[in-house]
Amino acid sequence: MNRLAQESSPYLAQHAGNPVDWWPWGEEAFAEAARRGVPVLLSVGYSTCHWCHVMAHESFEDEATAAFMNRHFVNVKVDREERPDVDAVYMAATQALTGQGGWPMTVFLTEAGEPFYAGTYFPPQDGHGLPSFMRVMGSVERAWREERDKLLGNAQALTEHVREAARPRPSDGAFGPELLERGVENLRRAFDADRGGFGGAPKFPAPTTLDFLLTRPDGRLMALHTLRRMLSGGLHDQLGGGFHRYSVDDAWRVPHFEKMLYDNAQLTRTLLRAYQVSGDGAFARAARAALDYLRREMLAPQGGFYSAQDADTPTPDGGVEGLTFTWTPAEVQAALAGSGPDDGAADAALIARHLGVTDPGNFEDPHQRAYGRRSVPFVAVPVPDLAAELGQPEAEVQARLDALKARLLAARQTRTQPGTDDKVLTSWNGLALAAFADAARILREPAYLEVARRNADFVRAHLRRPDGTLRHVWSGAQARVEGLMEDHALYALGLVALFQAGGDPAHLHWARELWQVTQRDFWNDGAGVFMASGGSAEALLTRQAQGFDSAVISDNAAGALLALWMDRYFALPGAGDTARRTVESFRLDMLAAPGGFGGLWQAAAFLHAPHTEVAIIGTPPERAPLEAVAARHALPFTALAFTEAGGDLPVLEARPGGGLGFVCVNRTCDLPTRDGATFDAQLARLG
């Protein structure tokens, strides 16, 4: 009996019709394994994962494969986004066994949850450079039957290795400001000076690393070059805005097509910071396009943000990766037909040349070759080159291209769309909250602030418990799963950004409440790190202390950054020391692999930055001129307070209103001013 039909996870629901006898994660599944005397086959993935779909179609929908699974295993499905704590534990085991990780993840466990064999995608037959899924299962079943004692010994050894690797260790030394320069230099060694980014294919956006580099005068050019190359590639959705998951090539041209909330939220903030640092309006336009995409396709009516959109477009024969997003010249011509006396031929030729849409194409789904080669739009011929060829002003050519892109997007919206994972994750919503709040403040756009406020209202109403803790997921109109460190820290950081944009102290005080939860439930004082799950959470093999940024800034980086904001705004005793100890606990890892610890590098830069405060006090009309001046300045580590009147925050105490601006460094303040030029000069000295 497949037990997934009643689960609220969209990923589990995708597998409710499989002939596999799936169980959701829980004690009942492991009790059943003990009763039957068989191993557990744990399958972990997520709803928008392309290779998860491939393995499901090849294996989990196959009657013979399912029959073997049902006969010899208790089969458990886990949504890694709904249960990142479970995923993290068994991903550590998979990486220890295979040297790599990813999804779908397949792990074989004892009835006690101890792993003894693992892998990621297994094809149904040999010939892909991997053993077939049936061969793997057959080998595991035979070893369980004939060599169980040896297998159990291996499981115990692997479990102890995972526990030892996850065991927090105290700080290994001080992190001085001189190490920031070493971090930048280590990143420079891996930097692709031509195409941007770090290392070769596949290339990931790495927003936390780019954010760190944007705070460093010696690293900004690497970040800006990378972002410009990303914006010109197919990773960036040239028509609909936002970003796909990663680039399969080293030129950002052909993406893996799924779209994740966390990528688009984090990269929007990165683009906004790049705009402030460089003054390049292209970054602001790209940020607006990403926010428009999130509002258009990822915002629930209640105010929360959905998690992701699929890489695959549903088709009668299963699904084709990227079909919604790719084009042929004939499709471009058809979409623009009737746009001129030549039936749109000139417009089609222009936009196809600009976006690299050709008959040979640059992408084909290897599993659906019947759909042929198609083109991922990218900037093949830049606007200045087209303008020179046409003998027209760049602005005129850009306007024409924008109008044509809008028509192509409208045509694209009539196609079958990829599926959307409509669960709302608190942690990822914290990232989106911060993106919209920053955009409201930097781009001076009230509509973005309204989206951010509605999100905060939604989370307070639906995901906050009476004791102040948060739930992790809202799905099927229900809040589920005990909140993790990532939920409390990332949502608190979003609330800090919302206070900076909207000026309501209630949002900052809520962030302080969540900070107190992180201290009580997740801080390990003996080791000086934050744990991923709380002490009252379900007992797994081990509790993780994450410092490495995966696709999302790590728990410990988020905790350290939140600690520093609490120190800046409230002067909370011990908050600064918490941040220092957290950074120092990961010092050696940060120096050895700087590209994986961008969040902690940001925390280290914040830790060693001067104590700076900027307050603008008065009614909204009184504040507006100085807020517009402040919006032009990159102030990533400055306590901003734009409010109607003084309050109980140190940054506001005993300061009059009337539209006065206050700039302070290390608790020494310039004379307050209402003059925009004076205020601009004061802020410039902070950078």
Side-chain angles (χ1 to χ4, degrees), residues 19 59-71 134 137:
S59 296
F60 304 146
E61 297 172 8
D62 178 71
E63 294 286 348
T65 303
F68 191 92
M69 294 172 67
N70 297 339
R71 186 162 57 252
M134 285 295 289
M137 290 194 297

Side-chain angles (χ1 to χ4, degrees), residues 194-218:
D194 180 21
R195 298 176 176 88
F198 303 89
K203 276 188 175 172
F204 290 81
T208 60
T209 296
L210 298 177
D211 287 343
F212 165 64
L213 290 173
L214 287 171
T215 70
R216 306 295 302 171
D218 52 346

Side-chain angles (χ1 to χ4, degrees), residues 493-583:
L493 288 173
L495 290 167
V496 170
L498 181 54
F499 168 72
Q500 293 175 340
D504 185 349
H507 293 129
L508 192 61
H509 285 288
W510 185 11
R512 179 176 179 171
E513 175 187 284
L514 295 177
W515 160 252
Q516 291 167 340
V517 173
T518 68
Q519 286 285 281
R520 184 190 70 212
D521 295 347
F522 301 98
W523 176 246
N524 182 325
D525 191 61
V529 295
F530 292 96
M531 309 304 295
S533 57
S536 62
E538 177 187 350
L540 300 173
L541 290 184
T542 185
R543 294 171 70 204
Q544 302 282 312
Q546 298 164 343
F548 185 90
D549 296 336
S550 55
V552 176
I553 187 171
S554 73
D555 294 344
N556 275 278
L561 289 168
L562 180 58
L564 288 164
W565 285 122
M566 294 300 100
D567 175 69
R568 293 296 194 266
Y569 279 113
F570 295 105
L572 294 183
D577 186 59
T578 294
R580 178 189 58 78
R581 293 182 62 197
T582 303
V583 171

Side-chain angles (χ1 to χ4, degrees), residues 263-305:
D263 284 323
N264 285 282
Q266 291 180 115
L267 284 169
T268 295
R269 295 191 87 190
T270 305
L271 289 167
L272 291 168
R273 293 169 181 172
Y275 169 58
Q276 288 182 307
V277 166
S278 69
D280 186 344
F283 295 130
R285 289 191 294 274
R288 287 183 184 275
L291 294 169
D292 289 346
Y293 154 69
L294 290 176
R295 285 197 295 179
R296 183 179 69 244
E297 300 187 35
M298 298 289 279
L299 182 59
Q302 300 90 340
F305 285 94

Side-chain angles (χ1 to χ4, degrees), residues 589-674:
D589 294 329
M590 292 166 66
L591 290 170
F597 293 86
L600 280 166
W601 280 110
Q602 290 178 64
F606 195 168
L607 189 66
H608 292 290
H611 190 297
T612 54
E613 301 171 354
V614 173
I616 307 172
I617 304 175
T619 64
E622 290 172 335
R623 298 195 313 264
L626 296 189
E627 288 187 19
V629 172
R632 298 197 296 265
H633 291 267
L635 304 169
F637 307 135
T638 296
L640 305 176
F642 306 158
T643 62
E644 295 239 3
D648 59 354
L649 300 174
V651 70
L652 297 175
E653 284 178 349
R655 288 178 173 165
L660 279 171
F662 301 81
V663 177
C664 306
V665 180
N666 294 330
R667 298 177 176 82
T668 299
C669 301
D670 293 331
L671 287 174
T673 184
R674 293 185 180 87

